Structure formats: C-alpha cells, structure tokens
Amino acid sequence: MELIELFSASVCPFAHRCRLALLEKQVPFEVVDIDLRNKPAWYRDINPDEAVPVLRQGDFVLRESLIINEYIDELAPEPALMPASPQERAMARLWIDFAGTRFVPLFYQLLKAQEEDERLAIQDRFLTVLGTIDTELKRRHQGKALYWFGEEVGLTDIAFYPWFERWPVLEHCRGFGLPGELTSLIGWIESMRKRDSVKKTGMPADFYIAEYEDYAGKGPTK
C-alpha cells in the first residue's frame, strides 16, 4: 500500500475526523500541517479550494472528510469502522448525514451569531438536535456509555466527536454548555475521550478557544 499523506490542521474538526479514522484503522500515514492563516502557495495545486483535509496516496487525491473516511475504511477489512449488516450500515450513513446536515451547521451558526435573539433561537434548535442524539444513544444502549453501533468505535462516532472536543469554544464564547440531563450523550463523549486515537489527536480547550475567538467575534474570514 502506498503511503498516505493527510493534509491537515490541528484546529480543523473536519481534518480531525480523518486523523481519527486513520488511527482507528491502523493505517500508516504522514500528516502535512497546513497553516490555515498562511496557506502555502503550493497547496493550491493539491486543492484549489485550499481547504483541509485532503488525502493523497501516490497520484490519487481525495477531498471531503466523510468521503475520505469511507475510503480509509475500505482500504482494509479490519478493524471495520462500519457495521456488518446492510441495514445497520444504512443507519450509520443516516446518522453520519445527520451530523453533517443538522448538527455541524448549528455549531457554526451559534458561534457566528452576533445578536442575542439570534443566538437564543439557534440554541433552541441545537437543544432539539442534541436531545435527538441523546435519545438515540439511550435507545440503542439503555443508557450505557458505549459507541453508536455497539462496543467498537465507528465512522458515526468519528463524524460527531471533533465538535464535542471543541465544545469549550461554545461555552466560552456563547455560554452554551451541554445540559447535564443528556446523560447518554455525555457518557458517549467520555467513552470517546478514552480512545487512544482521541488522546493522540486531541488539543487542550485553551488551544481551541484561542483559535476560534476571532471567528466568533467577526464571523468567517478568508
């Protein structure tokens, strides 16, 4: 197998997804760190959008974290990061889509919201989404702190987790903490924090807060 290069940035939760998947899959790879505030000119030749992550393996170049992670999972049969049955794989993809279309956008909407009324409206929607996640985890595991599809971590867990590691940013910038009654969700977060892959890729809360403060105050910059 040709060596994988992952163009990444520690601050980026999308790239974080891919680093987690590669470590869980035990696939050898090299990380190429990209300074998102001062992107090297040569990086445009690899990704004209200049975003991370990008996976390069020889002449093969792939973008988009969720697609990259499916590719990583298909490189070798074990350890599998998707459920064995077609039905459960379909459900895994459904929840991965939920992460991308319902959960992640609210994180950034709340972070960028400058008006109090707007923030409160987004928080209400966010609480509904968090409650949906907690209910699903509770239904699957009767309140036990396991992963989405059993006792082994998978792509569904990886699709969500990086934003929960960055939750201190929302607490610091928007005063929005995780409600204590979401016990299954909080238990799942604790299970993820114990993973070697999470320990190897994680950064302290102060790092994320410092990196996101300007973004929260001024909105996105290019």
Side-chain angles (χ1 to χ4, degrees):
M1 182 188 296
E2 289 185 279
L3 182 66
I4 286 174
E5 295 175 283
L6 183 70
F7 297 87
S8 178
S10 295
V11 69
C12 176
F14 299 97
H16 194 176
R17 280 174 168 169
C18 299
R19 286 181 284 129
L20 289 171
L22 285 162
L23 287 168
E24 291 290 348
K25 199 69 180 180
Q26 302 171 30
V27 173
F29 68 102
E30 290 182 354
V31 171
V32 180
D33 284 310
I34 301 297
D35 183 348
L36 298 180
R37 290 194 173 96
N38 186 25
K39 299 166 188 171
W42 55 261
Y43 190 54
R44 294 193 195 96
D45 295 330
I46 296 170
N47 183 5
D49 293 338
E50 299 185 90
V52 294
V54 170
L55 179 149
R56 183 167 69 178
Q57 190 177 27
D59 294 331
F60 177 66
V61 177
L62 188 62
R63 293 179 283 176
E64 301 298 334
S65 64
L66 296 177
I67 297 171
I68 289 172
N69 279 6
E70 287 217 29
Y71 174 72
I72 291 167
D73 191 39
E74 292 174 359
L75 286 175
E78 298 295 336
L81 298 179
M82 288 287 277
S85 79
Q87 292 87 357
E88 287 289 82
R89 286 199 299 276
M91 292 304 298
R93 292 187 177 100
L94 183 68
W95 284 106
I96 289 168
D97 180 75
F98 185 91
T101 60
R102 299 285 302 282
F103 171 72
V104 171
L106 286 171
F107 185 98
Y108 295 107
Q109 289 171 25
L110 181 55
L111 193 58
K112 292 187 291 184
Q114 301 300 310
E115 301 298 327
E116 185 66 17
D117 288 349
E118 183 185 7
R119 291 177 189 171
L120 291 174
I122 296 168
Q123 285 180 18
D124 284 344
R125 297 200 298 273
F126 218 162
L127 287 170
T128 298
V129 166
L130 293 170
T132 299
I133 295 169
D134 183 72
T135 298
E136 177 65 9
L137 290 169
K138 194 176 272 88
R139 182 188 72 79
R140 286 181 169 276
H141 306 305
Q142 288 95 44
K144 296 178 183 177
L146 299 174
Y147 306 107
W148 276 81
F149 288 89
E151 297 183 359
E152 302 298 331
V153 76
L155 293 186
T156 309
D157 305 284
I158 290 169
F160 283 95
Y161 177 74
W163 285 269
F164 287 107
E165 183 166 303
R166 289 155 179 78
W167 208 269
V169 175
L170 291 183
E171 293 178 346
H172 176 81
C173 296
R174 297 293 178 253
F176 187 62
L178 286 174
E181 62 266 24
L182 301 180
T183 54
S184 292
L185 173 57
I186 291 169
W188 169 81
I189 294 169
E190 290 304 314
S191 293
M192 289 298 293
R193 285 175 176 163
K194 295 174 184 175
R195 304 289 304 178
D196 286 343
S197 63
V198 170
K199 293 176 183 178
K200 289 176 180 177
T201 57
M203 300 294 287
D206 287 350
F207 169 82
Y208 294 122
I209 290 169
E211 289 290 326
Y212 278 89
E213 271 187 321
D214 286 348
Y215 183 86
K218 302 173 184 177
T221 58
K222 293 186 179 181

